[in-house]
Amino acid sequence: MRTGLTPAEALRALLEVTPVMGAETLASRDALGRVLVEPVVSTRCLPPADNSAMDGYAVRAADVAHASPTTPVDLEVAFEVAAGAAGEGSLRPGEAARILTGAPLPRGADAVVRQEDAERAGDRVAVRIAPRPRENVRGAGEDVRVGEEVLGAGTLLGPAHLGMLASLGRSTVSVHQRPRVAVLSSGDELVEPDGEIAGGRIVSSNSYSISAQCRELGAEPVYLGIARDTPEDLERRVRSGLRADVLVSSAGVSVGDRDYVRPVLEKLGCTWDFWGVRIKPGYPFAFGRCDEDGGPLVFALPGNPVSAMVTFEQFVRPALRKMTGHTAWFRPLIAVRLGERLDKKAGRLHFVRVRLERRGGEVVARPTGSQSSGVLRSMTEAQGLLLFPADATELREGDTATVQVLDAAFLASPDPGF
Ligand code: AMP
Ligand code: MG
């Protein structure tokens, strides 16, 4: 097993062996947030026929080419077409048809005069403004043509995409399955949130944050509970997670006397690819596979709440993004100006939890306070993780740095911009 990898080496190694999930068919209305397996090619034209963009009168543009407010052109209103009409009417020279928005343009007509630009009197209409040919006409196929690839494979389905699928008559759609992620906590000190915390006990917050990180990615967490620090209890719980696509454990993966996660998983068929990544927080992170019999990918996260969340961010998240069919696996990166000086020892890449503030055309990043890996407040406050490079020992106030954006809410505006 390799150890002491750089984060780039670790990421490359695990992404290389991370599979993409297979397909499932869903009702399009339930496919929000899913990723398309295949491109969607239209078998229809949208709109299907030329139709009116306005309430008004369908005309032959040539008939009314000389119309003006002082010299209106008088036409006979021969018939009426409403939205949803079959469009069997045909316009002869000198005729207009009353037409409503969305109604098919009758044969012979090539423009629509807005109601406001015409005056109706009985079965006649006086056109006061000459429309250009095709004016106020929505052309057949101007949105989508037959045979056109409308949505590419790998498209993340948002509201507009679901509307488009509906317009194309696709009430079902083939999307990537969501990975099932078994989430295991371990430690004799851990209790559930309603448990007693006297006597050195603490709440297993990782169970909540890690499950939520999964859910945010559209993966389905399956909670295996809290394992006691015994090989037997760990084994029993890990076994119940071996049918999942991914197993994420936290704690018990360091070099302590009761750190049984690695040996127990080995016993159950897991091969470790590496242990230990040169980052802070989160050095004692391990990745392995139980892939005989299609077992899960195994991510053993350190126990400290911040280390667990940060290693999930750096390693589990990109893998789950790949599994769910996404083509972009990483958080948005932005350049920031540092609002405060930072120091560290050389050797590891640090992920500094920062708050972000827009100032003029720049973003200023400030550490959230204590960067201890046990201080979960540093994550509740964080809008980004600032990359303090492995070899650097200081970053000065005003220096530029790169931030992985966790929460784009710092971009939210107090006004609508219009
Ligand atoms: P360990 O890796 O087991 O030595 O755990 C490292 C630290 O993380 C210890 O202080 C644990 O109490 C803490 N810890 C472990 N698991 C959890 C958890 N599920 N939730 C919150 N803290 C935890
Ligand atoms: Mg422990």
Side-chain angles (χ1 to χ4, degrees):
M1 181 181 58
R2 293 184 294 162
T3 189
L5 276 64
T6 66
E9 289 166 342
L11 196 55
R12 197 176 322 118
L14 70 87
L15 285 175
E16 216 170 76
V17 298
T18 298
V20 177
M21 300 291 292
E24 67 178 320
T25 300
L26 285 187
S28 298
R29 69 167 73 252
D30 296 329
L32 182 67
R34 297 301 201 94
V35 179
L36 274 185
V37 170
E38 307 154 338
V40 171
V41 177
S42 181
T43 54
R44 46 172 82 158
C45 199
L46 294 179
D50 285 354
N51 67 89
S52 178
M54 293 284 170
D55 291 331
Y57 297 89
V59 299
R60 294 166 170 268
D63 283 357
V64 290
H66 301 295
S68 76
T70 48
T71 58
V73 173
D74 194 54
L75 300 172
E76 182 194 342
V77 180
F79 55 92
E80 181 166 316
V81 235
E88 56 276 329
S90 181
L91 214 61
R92 285 171 305 194
E95 288 180 349
R98 171 74 176 140
I99 196 164
L100 300 177
T101 304
L105 202 67
R107 268 190 306 282
D110 61 359
V112 171
V113 177
R114 296 191 309 163
Q115 187 165 311
E116 300 87 316
D117 298 335
E119 196 152 336
R120 177 84 176 258
D123 61 359
R124 313 287 304 174
V125 62
V127 174
R128 282 190 265 106
I129 293 186
R132 283 172 283 111
R134 309 293 294 171
E135 190 162 347
N136 298 322
V137 174
R138 301 191 286 217
E142 76 177 24
D143 191 350
V144 173
R145 295 181 307 278
V146 175
E148 201 176 346
E149 178 178 314
V150 186
L151 306 173
T155 298
L156 169 63
L157 296 174
H161 306 103
L162 299 190
M164 178 56 81
L165 286 170
S167 298
L168 296 175
R170 308 288 181 93
S171 55
T172 63
V173 61
S174 178
V175 294
H176 288 281
Q177 290 168 358
R178 292 152 28 120
R180 292 176 67 241
V181 184
V183 176
L184 175 68
S185 294
S186 70
D188 285 341
E189 74 282 27
L190 302 177
V191 295
E192 296 293 350
D194 52 1
E196 181 55 62
I197 57 168
R201 294 181 168 253
I202 59 165
V203 170
S204 171
S205 59
N206 292 349
S207 316
Y208 280 67
S209 48
I210 293 169
S211 298
Q213 282 177 302
C214 291
R215 216 169 263 131
E216 215 172 41
L217 290 161
E220 190 192 324
V222 181
Y223 183 45
L224 305 183
I226 301 169
R228 296 294 129 215
D229 280 328
T230 64
E232 296 72 28
D233 195 35
L234 257 176
E235 179 174 336
R236 188 172 66 82
R237 290 184 191 268
V238 168
R239 272 187 194 285
S240 63
L242 289 179
R243 304 259 304 279
D245 302 298
V246 173
L247 176 82
V248 177
S249 70
S250 67
V253 73
S254 205
V255 290
D257 295 342
R258 300 203 174 174
D259 288 344
Y260 295 120
V261 167
R262 282 193 287 154
V264 163
L265 271 146
E266 274 165 29
K267 181 180 171 198
L268 296 178
C270 174
T271 319
W272 296 105
D273 281 27
F274 61 84
W275 176 85
V277 186
R278 300 209 302 267
I279 56 172
K280 191 174 177 187
Y283 186 91
F285 165 79
F287 171 75
R289 285 174 278 167
C290 295
D291 49 10
E292 280 169 51
D293 317 324
L297 298 178
V298 180
F299 297 80
L301 315 185
N304 274 309
V306 181
S307 312
M309 288 196 76
V310 168
T311 48
F312 185 105
E313 265 295 324
Q314 303 311 315
F315 303 120
V316 188
R317 183 178 189 276
L320 292 178
R321 296 270 300 179
K322 180 178 179 187
M323 293 180 90
T324 39
H326 289 277
T327 45
W329 302 333
F330 307 110
R331 293 279 191 184
L333 293 178
I334 58 167
V336 300
R337 203 165 283 290
L338 199 56
E340 219 171 276
R341 179 197 165 82
L342 293 170
D343 296 284
K344 71 169 177 64
K345 286 193 289 200
R348 296 192 200 171
L349 169 66
H350 283 210
F351 296 97
V352 183
R353 280 77 77 201
V354 290
R355 289 196 65 76
L356 302 171
E357 187 194 330
R358 274 201 291 183
R359 198 179 299 151
E362 291 189 331
V363 178
V364 176
R366 281 211 173 70
T368 53
S370 168
Q371 297 289 310
S372 160
S373 58
V375 174
L376 193 50
R377 281 289 292 279
S378 73
M379 286 302 289
T380 62
E381 304 278 315
Q383 292 165 312
L385 296 174
L386 182 140
L387 306 179
F388 193 166
D391 295 335
T393 56
E394 71 165 11
L395 290 174
R396 285 177 308 242
E397 182 179 339
D399 280 356
T400 53
T402 301
V403 164
Q404 299 175 338
V405 178
L406 300 179
D407 177 6
F410 78 95
L411 287 171
S413 170
D415 65 65
F418 55 76

